């Protein structure tokens, strides 16, 4: 068998270098970014059909009173707030665990050629479903582009 043989002093230097590099990476990077994206965004599916756009956005545990939808120029803006608190008590009514979640979500979507007066939205089982009719439904032109 062959082993990676390294002098003891060299192994310590590599461990120290790795520790310093990890520390510097943590300071230089936005360590909250994975959480930041999760907390300030939500999943959405957008489908364009001949007569309308359809949006489905996930808002588990959010009530419709905590969701607002607005139009700003050609942008559809969806915002939501989620403020949940859970308490778990024992038989003597002492709190044994208390958890809180708070988040604000906001996304905007560019739309063109839509009828703002006939937009419908409903919240069912934590999914916001929207239909945004088009003003001038036209068949989408399709053209193949050759790669050289």
């Amino acid at each position: 068998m062959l082993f990676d043989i390294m002098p003891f002093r060299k192994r310590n230097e590599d461990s120290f270098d790795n520790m310093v590099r990890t520390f510097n990476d943590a300071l230089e990077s936005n360590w909250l970014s994975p959480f930041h994206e999760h907390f300030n965004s939500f999943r959405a599916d957008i489908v364009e059909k001949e007569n309308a756009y359809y949006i489905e956005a996930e808002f588990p545990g959010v009530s419709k009173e905590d969701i607002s939808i607005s139009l700003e120029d050609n942008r559809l803006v969806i915002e939501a707030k989620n403020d949940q608190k859970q308490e778990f008590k024992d038989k003597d009514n002492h709190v044994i665990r208390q958890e809180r979640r708070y988040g604000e979500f906001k996304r905007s979507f560019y739309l063109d050629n839509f009828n703002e007066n006939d937009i419908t939205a409903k919240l069912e089982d934590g999914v916001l479903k929207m239909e945004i009719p088009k003003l001038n439904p036209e068949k989408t032109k399709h053209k193949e582009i050759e790669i050289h």
Side-chain angles (χ1 to χ4, degrees):
M1 270 189 175
L2 292 175
F3 292 96
D4 223 2
I5 301 175
M6 185 181 299
F8 181 73
R9 195 174 96 211
K10 181 70 174 162
R11 269 187 291 168
N12 286 343
E13 288 172 3
D14 287 345
S15 296
F16 181 76
D17 288 344
N18 286 335
M19 183 181 71
V20 169
R21 189 173 23 257
T22 302
F23 182 75
N24 287 335
D25 287 346
L27 288 177
E28 291 171 4
S29 69
N30 184 358
W31 58 276
L32 280 176
S33 67
F35 301 108
H36 179 75
E37 289 174 11
H38 175 71
F39 289 131
N40 291 326
S41 190
F42 52 86
R43 291 179 176 235
D45 296 328
I46 303 168
V47 175
E48 180 180 7
K49 294 195 177 178
E50 187 176 329
N51 296 321
Y53 299 98
Y54 296 91
I55 297 177
E56 288 190 2
E58 295 180 3
F59 292 105
V62 178
S63 66
K64 70 178 185 178
E65 293 78 24
D66 293 328
I67 300 173
S68 71
I69 304 167
S70 61
L71 293 169
E72 299 172 10
D73 296 321
N74 281 359
R75 296 206 175 274
L76 176 75
V77 179
I78 303 173
E79 298 178 78
K81 291 183 182 179
N82 188 8
D83 191 4
Q84 295 179 351
K85 180 179 175 182
Q86 292 180 324
E87 272 188 354
F88 299 94
K89 297 182 179 187
D90 64 10
K91 63 182 179 182
D92 297 324
N93 211 26
H94 296 114
V95 175
I96 55 173
R97 187 174 82 201
Q98 191 172 34
E99 295 182 1
R100 293 176 189 87
R101 269 187 238 170
Y102 180 80
E104 291 183 1
F105 312 94
K106 180 177 182 177
R107 286 187 71 184
S108 64
F109 304 96
Y110 178 80
L111 298 173
D112 193 21
N113 186 32
F114 64 95
N115 184 347
E116 67 183 49
N117 297 319
D118 292 331
I119 296 174
T120 60
K122 62 182 173 179
L123 186 67
E124 291 180 340
D125 299 324
V127 178
L128 176 67
K129 297 179 180 184
M130 298 184 66
E131 181 179 351
I132 305 161
K134 291 184 179 180
L135 278 175
N136 300 315
E138 299 172 356
K139 293 195 180 217
T140 305
K141 295 179 182 178
H142 181 77
K143 179 181 178 180
E144 295 287 327
I145 307 296
E146 185 179 336
I147 301 173
H148 297 279

